[in-house]
Amino acid sequence: MSTDISCTKKSRGRPKVFDREAALDKAMALFWKHGYEATSMAHLVEATGAKAPTLYAEFTNKEGLFKAVLDRYIARFAKMREACLFCEERTLEEALEAYLSLIAKLFTEKDTPTGCFIICTSSVLAASSDDIAAVIKTRQSMQEETLARFLASCQQKGEIPAASCVRKLAKYLCCIIQGMSVSARENASYEELMQIVNTTMRLMPELKKI
């Protein structure tokens, strides 16, 4: 009679490893679609599939998670846009058209919520979210700084008159981008956003003189 009786407990398998980037992407989609205020930690736990203690250990609180998501968004999308501008082979008009066309494409992608994450979340913040508003404002100003830096380099190459104010032109272009984001949130198509891009490019000879 065999006495080889196993008393070993059934293995539960390896514990699931927390995938930080995947969790940030899922949280990003939630914040992007519903805004900071309307997204609770309970919603984030459900969306990410992570346990609440794991999220708190990694990000401290909802604000910390949102800041990490914001940095993730900039790393994924803002750097991609910047690459369109700072391309030595392109003229000012070619680079700017590529930049705005990419924005039109990103704002209407099907695999992410429409519009710009930063613009969409900043537009629905409550007065009680001063800290988050300040963080968003700082990140949002990076776009204007990038455009101003690009336009200044074009001015140095003689593509923009020396007397023109590149800061004013950068602010104007940021307003165009904000309008594109709002239009995308209101279900404007890529083609409709490209009409805005095309109009802006037609106006560039005069805009460069401001």
Side-chain angles (χ1 to χ4, degrees):
M1 183 176 178
S2 173
T3 57
D4 184 16
I5 301 174
S6 175
C7 294
T8 305
K9 292 183 179 180
K10 187 177 179 181
S11 174
R12 295 181 181 178
R14 292 182 180 179
K16 186 182 292 187
V17 177
F18 176 66
D19 188 333
R20 191 176 193 274
E21 292 190 351
L24 286 175
D25 287 342
K26 290 173 182 176
M28 184 190 299
L30 209 59
F31 281 128
W32 198 336
K33 186 175 182 180
H34 301 292
Y36 179 78
E37 301 292 344
T39 302
S40 67
M41 280 302 288
H43 293 141
L44 292 163
V45 166
E46 183 179 359
T48 60
K51 295 184 182 300
T54 302
L55 290 182
Y56 281 110
E58 187 72 24
F59 305 108
T60 305
N61 52 26
K62 186 176 84 165
E63 182 178 326
L65 176 52
F66 181 81
K67 289 177 180 177
V69 164
L70 198 52
D71 289 339
R72 172 79 170 158
Y73 175 82
I74 290 170
R76 279 185 61 189
F77 298 105
K79 298 291 176 63
M80 190 191 312
R81 300 179 198 175
E82 190 171 328
C84 286
L85 292 176
F86 296 96
C87 178
E88 289 297 325
E89 292 76 24
R90 289 173 173 162
T91 64
L92 181 159
E93 285 79 8
E94 289 170 345
L96 188 58
E97 185 171 8
Y99 175 78
L100 293 175
S101 297
L102 176 61
I103 287 175
K105 179 177 180 294
L106 293 174
F107 283 4
T108 53
E109 290 268 63
K110 300 302 180 187
D111 56 349
T112 58
T114 54
C116 170
F117 171 77
I118 296 175
I119 294 171
C120 291
T121 50
S122 66
S123 64
V124 291
L125 280 174
S128 58
S129 302
D130 288 343
D131 289 344
I132 288 297
V135 170
I136 290 176
K137 185 177 181 180
T138 299
R139 299 297 195 280
Q140 203 164 10
S141 68
M142 290 170 61
Q143 182 176 64
E144 183 181 318
E145 292 301 323
T146 298
L147 282 166
R149 185 159 48 91
F150 162 70
L151 294 169
S153 69
C154 292
Q155 191 173 47
Q156 289 176 351
K157 291 186 288 186
E159 295 184 89
I160 296 175
S164 296
C165 179
V166 294
R167 177 64 63 176
K168 288 181 181 178
L169 180 52
K171 287 182 181 292
Y172 175 84
L173 292 171
C174 283
C175 288
I176 293 295
I177 293 166
Q178 288 175 12
M180 289 170 65
S181 176
V182 172
S183 295
R185 291 293 276 187
E186 294 175 351
N187 297 318
S189 66
Y190 168 75
E191 289 75 20
E192 288 172 319
L193 294 191
M194 282 306 298
Q195 290 176 8
I196 299 172
V197 173
N198 294 335
T199 299
T200 303
M201 295 314 301
R202 283 197 298 271
L203 293 171
M204 276 308 296
E206 291 302 316
L207 292 174
K208 288 192 292 185
K209 298 175 185 178
I210 64 174

